[in-house]
């Protein structure tokens, strides 16, 4: 059949499939150059992986996503993940669409793929969205626990930073309770916290925080300078 | 660039307008229009609100505001159909209106640029697909200028490099197919970068699909048997990730600086009224009323300024290095004054009438002069600040190839002084891109500093930057530079090698009378455009490398060898040390037909070269390309295409985490 123009392989394949000759139909479809026509038929024939591959080859993200939606509904999650796992375009599409609303799916995906940093990032961004301090800290704890087992340098640093975040939140909460001068500390960055403390005249506390979080001298002095100027304290 | 009749921009503008209006006409009676935010601006590029009104559009709403009301029976949604979450949003609003409206609405959805399987599926799941008229509005290229076409996909950068979602490559391919169907196939597709390669492959594939469609005889297509085009020379595709470095630098042309400081979107910029004066200009009314969705009650009064080539003065200024903008403004002011003075010499009635006829033009120019003088002054004020200078110094040293560790003190100081995070990250990414990652110890150090200074939410920001391969430790495998000769293999653009071998740094460039594209960054030539020169202006590059060949000699030799060696020929080795695949494909057609066509049309005149920047283009690069286009004017017409306009800040915004740990204001 090859090299004969004017034949729609899609139609022939459809006919072959209707006759029950699935194998022949798949074979025929390989000659069909139009991706848009191949894929739905392949899905009908339950040639899932082949359909996905053909969709990816077409470069049409709509077609790929369509196949993915279909498969996600049909397969158990684990085998679905396995299928997209070695196809970067497929997993990228799933990841970016899950980010728009299905966080649980993302967590499962990262867990199965053994990507602790990505997994902890999901929890971390959930912590950002939480309203109460208590819940925020819990999420941060979870995020750091995901990272705890690894010895990889970047993971270790990441974990340190996550812990620092929750430590800072605790300190800020205490400040909010102690110094009830209307200033909200919670959620500020470390530098901003120090800056506000100096400007409000709590030099001691600022210094304590500086040493607690090992803030570099130079940064601290710049902050003090700027804060004192803002306060117009020229003494 | 000689504007030939029926230029691409004109064609696309026309086609888009016609398509949209035809669809609006299809819905009888008055209607309310719901537009998604990312389409509202681009639509303004080809159709005015007043025209929409003529076609029965009563009110316009933004999809994102979710405040469509029931004043009209017909409701039309105009939305990008590529993103599932957008589709869901449309579905939600349709259901909302169905439930609490007391009117039986007629819904129509116009998917831009096409109806997708996924959107159908989502509407089906929501159970409303039967109640909706669905049509597609094939909008691909939006004409920004006569020589600039953009898909205006604002998320294309983050999609492509952060989420690795190749959707915009597909759309780009579709858009380019549009051009091919008009003029015939690009005789040659030249490109650099992995995504560029993917785009080229898609183009080849789509051509095959088209052939199949045609041969199967199922559909009757108007464009039978496309041949290699006689009017186009080639398509050059540059992948943004080949050259992240240039985008990270602060742009130093007038338009570039406006973009850096206020931001330009769809040829418009919102500028504080304190700078440009209240919006009294009546001649602007027509164009500025086209973003009608809401009367923009933003904080501080802003005024929309149209920035395109219809403004004569801006046309002169936009591509100039900012250093000479003052001179140009001065010259124009003087000329204008003498023009006004000429009224004294007008004695006879005819002379007077002539003068009065020209008066509106003078006033227009006067107004534009006032705006740009004030704007330039404001920019000047910012460029003179201590912090701007420090930033620029770090950038210039990095670009010139000085040891980046010497800049670290300066960066630390800038962090401590709390300058905007974007600027800090641009510096760090610049260093990472230019020198193959930061030393792990330094990177760790900066990470800590930035996170302490700007908040712990930026743990996520750093992760995103790393994913985009913009900011990496030197030990990482993906941070490695492509080496020349060394045993280990890297993947990244090797700036230090290319700096020498493509003369990226030109010290003595004159900003007043530029002889090289390096003027756009005051001494640094954007690599992306240099690569294009390797295709289009081989003799010039060679003369640069041989060491300052005089300009006249260059001009002479470049005329001889303009078509002799196509593709990357002669520069293969150099280009190899930039990131990603290098390719040059020839699209062949039926030989006889081609020859026949050649004899008909004759081997004459300037052919068009399309240059596609995949993942965004900066205003400096546009300026540099225009500079080249001018030199090539007799031989070639250069048309720039891109997925979107980009600058360093927008790049960083793709990565920066916006949430914070602060209590969410109720």
């Amino acid at each position: 059949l090859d090299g004969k123009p004017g034949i729609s392989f899609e139609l022939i394949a459809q006919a072959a499939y209707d006759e029950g000759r699935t194998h022949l139909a798949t074979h025929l479809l390989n000659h069909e150059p139009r991706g848009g026509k191949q894929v739905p038929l392949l899905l009908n024939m339950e040639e899932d992986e082949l359909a996905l591959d053909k969709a990816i080859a077409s470069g049409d993200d709509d077609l790929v996503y369509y196949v993915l939606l279909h498969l996600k509904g049909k397969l158990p999650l684990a085998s679905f993940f396995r299928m997209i796992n070695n196809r970067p375009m497929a997993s990228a599409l799933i990841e970016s669409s899950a980010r728009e609303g299905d966080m649980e799916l993302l967590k499962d995906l990262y867990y199965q793929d053994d990507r602790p940093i990505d997994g902890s990032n999901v929890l971390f961004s959930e912590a950002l969205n939480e309203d109460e301090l208590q819940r925020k800290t819990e999420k941060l704890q979870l995020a750091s626990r995901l990272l705890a087992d690894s010895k990889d340098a970047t993971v270790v640093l990441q974990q340190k930073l996550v812990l620092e975040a929750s430590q800072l939140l605790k300190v800020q909460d205490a400040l909010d309770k102690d110094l009830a001068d209307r200033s909200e500390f919670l959620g500020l960055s470390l530098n901003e916290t120090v800056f506000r403390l100096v400007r409000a005249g709590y030099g001691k506390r600022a210094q304590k925080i500086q040493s607690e979080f090992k803030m570099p001298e130079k940064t601290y002095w710049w902050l003090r300078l700027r804060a004192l100027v803002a306060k117009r304290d020229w003494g | 660039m000689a504007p030939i009749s029926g230029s691409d921009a004109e064609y696309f503008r026309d086609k888009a307008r016609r398509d949209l209006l035809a669809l609006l006409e299809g819905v009888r009676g008055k209607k309310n229009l719901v537009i998604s935010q990312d389409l509202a601006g681009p639509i303004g590029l080809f159709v005015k609100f007043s025209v929409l009104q003529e076609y029965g559009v009563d009110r316009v709403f933004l999809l994102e505001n979710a405040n469509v009301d029931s004043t009209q029976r017909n409701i039309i949604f105009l939305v990008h159909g590529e993103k599932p979450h957008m589709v869901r949003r449309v579905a939600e609003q349709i259901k909302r209106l169905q439930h609490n409206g007391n009117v039986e609405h007629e819904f129509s959805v116009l998917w831009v640029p096409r109806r997708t399987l996924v959107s159908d599926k989502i509407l089906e799941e929501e159970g409303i697909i039967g109640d909706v008229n669905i049509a597609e509005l094939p909008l691909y290229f939006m004409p920004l200028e006569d020589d600039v076409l953009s898909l205006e996909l604002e998320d294309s950068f983050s999609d492509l490099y952060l989420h690795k979602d190749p959707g915009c490559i597909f759309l780009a391919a579709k858009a380019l197919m549009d051009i091919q169907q008009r003029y015939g196939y690009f005789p040659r597709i030249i490109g650099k970068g992995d995504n560029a390669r993917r785009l080229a492959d898609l183009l080849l594939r789509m051509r095959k699909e088209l052939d199949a469609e045609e041969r199967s005889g199922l559909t009757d297509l108007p464009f039978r048997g496309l041949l290699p085009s006689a009017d186009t020379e080639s398509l050059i595709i540059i992948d943004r990730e080949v050259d992240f470095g240039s985008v990270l630098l602060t742009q130093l042309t007038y338009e570039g600086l406006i973009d850096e400081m206020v931001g330009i979107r769809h040829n418009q910029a919102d500028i504080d009224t304190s700078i440009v004066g209240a919006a009294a200009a009546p001649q602007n009314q027509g164009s500025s009323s086209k973003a009608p969705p809401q009367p923009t009650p933003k904080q501080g009064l802003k005024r929309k300024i149209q920035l395109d080539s219809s403004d004569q003065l801006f046309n002169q200024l936009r591509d100039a290095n900012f250093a000479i903008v003052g001179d140009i403004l001065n010259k124009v002011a003087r000329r204008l004054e003498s023009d006004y003075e000429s009224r004294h010499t007008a004695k006879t009635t005819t002379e007077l009438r002539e003068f009065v006829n020209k008066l509106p033009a003078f006033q227009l120019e006067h107004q534009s002069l006032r705006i740009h003088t004030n704007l330039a002054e404001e920019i000047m004020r910012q460029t003179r600040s201590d912090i701007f200078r420090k930033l620029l110094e770090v950038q210039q040293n990095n670009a010139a190839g000085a040891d980046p560790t010497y800049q670290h003190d300066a960066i630390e100081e800038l962090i401590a002084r709390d300058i905007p995070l974007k600027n800090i990250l641009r510096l760090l990414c610049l260093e990472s891109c230019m020198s193959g990652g930061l030393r792990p110890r330094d990177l760790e150090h900066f990470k800590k500093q930035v996170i302490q200074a700007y908040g712990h939410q930026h743990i996520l920001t750093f992760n995103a930057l790393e994913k985009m391969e913009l900011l990496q430790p030197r030990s990482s495998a993906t941070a490695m530079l492509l080496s020349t000769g060394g045993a280990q293999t890297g993947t990244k653009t090797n700036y230090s090698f290319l700096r020498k071998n493509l003369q990226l740094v030109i010290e003595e460039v004159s900003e007043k009378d530029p002889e090289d594209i390096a003027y756009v960054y005051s001494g640094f030539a954007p690599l992306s455009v240099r690569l294009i020169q390797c295709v289009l202006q081989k003799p010039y590059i060679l003369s640069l490398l041989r060491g300052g060949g005089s300009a006249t000699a260059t001009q002479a030799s470049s005329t001889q060898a303009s078509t002799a060696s196509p593709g990357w020929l002669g520069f293969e080795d150099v280009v190899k040390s930039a990131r990603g695949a290098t390719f040059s494909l020839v699209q062949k057609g039926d030989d006889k037909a081609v020859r026949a066509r050649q004899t008909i049309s004759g081997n004459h005149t300037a052919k068009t070269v399309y240059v596609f920047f995949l993942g965004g283009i900066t205003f400096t690069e546009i300026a540099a390309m225009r500079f080249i286009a001018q030199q090539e004017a007799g031989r070639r017409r250069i048309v720039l295409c891109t997925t979107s306009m980009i600058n360093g800040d927008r790049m960083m915004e793709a990565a920066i985490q916006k949430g914070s740990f602060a209590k969410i204001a109720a």
Side-chain angles (χ1 to χ4, degrees), chain B residues 250-258 314-329 376 379-380 383 388 392 396 506-507 509-526 619-620 623-624 627:
Chain B
T250 301
Q251 308 179 62
L252 294 178
T253 57
Y254 181 56
E255 192 172 21
L257 272 169
I258 297 178
F314 182 62
N315 212 14
Q316 281 177 52
L317 291 172
R318 65 194 309 181
D319 296 328
N321 187 296
F322 186 68
I324 61 158
V325 163
D327 284 354
I328 300 179
L329 284 171
I379 292 174
M380 192 101 71
T383 53
F388 185 87
L392 211 59
Q396 297 276 358
I506 296 200
E507 300 274 350
V509 69
S510 146
E511 282 145 0
K512 196 161 194 142
D513 244 332
E515 285 165 2
D516 187 84
I517 55 168
Y519 86 93
V520 297
Y521 287 113
S522 296
F524 181 79
F619 284 108
T620 32
F627 181 77

Side-chain angles (χ1 to χ4, degrees), chain A:
Chain A
L1 281 173
D2 234 350
K4 286 229 172 90
I7 295 174
S8 166
F9 285 98
E10 180 215 2
L11 293 178
I12 307 177
Q14 179 74 54
Y17 175 61
D18 290 342
E19 294 290 315
R21 302 181 60 181
T22 320
H23 185 72
L24 177 63
T26 349
H27 197 70
L28 281 167
L29 271 186
N30 270 330
H31 295 284
E32 170 63 60
R34 289 162 296 170
K37 306 266 178 179
Q38 264 173 340
V39 173
L41 186 55
L42 281 171
L43 280 181
N44 266 341
M45 302 183 339
E46 314 228 344
E47 292 283 346
D48 296 341
E49 284 202 41
L50 197 57
L52 186 54
D53 284 337
K54 292 286 178 198
I56 290 173
S58 79
D60 184 347
D61 53 320
D62 174 43
L63 209 51
V64 179
Y65 197 63
Y66 177 74
V67 177
L68 289 173
L69 275 181
H70 181 89
L71 294 183
K72 200 175 108 192
K74 183 179 147 195
L75 298 173
L77 212 50
S79 47
F80 175 64
F81 284 153
R82 218 170 303 126
M83 193 180 280
I84 62 171
N85 185 322
N86 49 4
R87 296 179 172 88
M89 178 171 171
S91 49
L93 278 176
I94 283 292
E95 269 179 60
S96 60
S97 71
R99 203 164 283 118
E100 301 290 343
D102 197 353
M103 287 297 189
E104 292 308 311
L105 182 75
L106 268 188
K107 279 188 228 166
D108 289 340
L109 175 66
Y110 291 145
Y111 182 75
Q112 185 160 353
D113 265 11
D114 197 19
R115 289 156 66 178
I117 292 197
D118 287 322
S120 82
N121 281 344
V122 176
L123 285 163
F124 194 92
S125 53
E126 281 181 349
L128 288 175
N129 290 329
E130 289 294 346
D131 216 5
E132 283 163 44
L133 178 65
Q134 181 74 29
R135 304 277 292 279
K136 276 183 202 285
T137 344
E138 275 167 24
K139 289 279 183 196
L140 287 178
Q141 295 299 342
L142 282 177
S144 85
R145 206 168 303 149
L146 267 183
L147 302 167
D149 303 330
S150 176
K151 293 203 168 46
D152 189 56
T154 45
V155 181
V156 172
L157 175 66
Q158 174 99 355
Q159 198 206 1
K160 241 175 31 197
L161 290 170
V162 172
L163 285 178
E164 197 179 84
S166 64
Q167 187 192 351
L168 179 63
L169 283 177
K170 214 188 304 166
V171 171
Q172 287 171 339
D173 187 45
L175 286 176
D176 275 342
K177 281 184 184 133
D178 283 2
L179 322 168
D181 58 347
R182 281 176 297 126
S183 56
E184 278 266 329
F185 284 97
L186 200 68
L188 295 181
S189 74
L190 182 67
N191 286 13
E192 285 163 344
T193 312
V194 171
F195 180 86
R196 285 222 191 158
L197 281 173
V198 175
R199 199 181 54 188
Y202 298 105
K204 281 256 170 58
R205 283 173 195 262
Q207 216 151 23
K208 190 167 153 256
I209 289 179
Q210 183 223 345
S211 65
E212 206 172 321
F213 288 89
K214 302 197 190 67
M215 179 187 274
E217 278 298 310
K218 214 169 93 184
T219 314
Y220 181 66
W221 283 106
W222 265 111
L223 281 172
R224 268 199 60 166
L225 176 67
R226 280 177 37 230
L228 291 177
V229 169
K231 201 174 130 194
R232 314 217 159 265
D233 178 354
W234 310 112

